[in-house]
Amino acid sequence: DMWEMIRMTLQYFSPEEPKGGEKSRNVTIVDFGSVIAARSYGDHRISGDSIYHYGLEARLLFGQQLLHELFAAELRETGELNSII
């Protein structure tokens, strides 16, 4: 099942606690598949430049996700994320 594979991957690459107790990340995952799945079928399908490509809208969506994750990682490093939440 695709969703189980995604869940296992996210769990595998989640931050681990080394002996010092501080969490660290060495890999960041942007789960584009889960986001684009809702926009891949039926009336909500993104119309791309061909039936095989999502086109600019999907590329912008991926860029938005990546930027969000990079900003969140920076906020986590500085400790500012906890003050926002």
Side-chain angles (χ1 to χ4, degrees):
D1 170 66
M2 177 185 73
W3 298 111
E4 179 62 18
M5 232 171 42
I6 290 171
R7 187 191 65 73
M8 287 175 26
T9 303
L10 292 172
Q11 184 179 3
Y12 179 80
F13 287 110
S14 69
E16 296 181 17
E17 284 194 42
K19 291 180 183 175
E22 188 176 317
K23 292 185 178 186
S24 66
R25 289 179 179 245
N26 58 357
V27 174
T28 298
I29 294 179
V30 177
D31 187 8
F32 181 71
S34 296
V35 173
I36 200 67
R39 297 167 173 92
S40 295
Y41 304 100
D43 294 338
H44 298 294
R45 178 168 168 69
I46 295 173
S47 58
D49 40 11
S50 80
I51 61 169
Y52 305 107
H53 295 151
Y54 289 112
L56 179 62
E57 188 175 345
R59 290 180 182 93
L60 291 173
L61 176 63
F62 177 75
Q64 179 184 11
Q65 276 189 281
L66 180 59
L67 224 69
H68 177 268
E69 185 54 41
L70 292 173
F71 283 137
E74 187 174 331
L75 290 174
R76 276 191 297 271
E77 278 185 27
T78 61
E80 293 180 38
L81 185 63
N82 294 332
S83 65
I84 294 173
I85 299 174

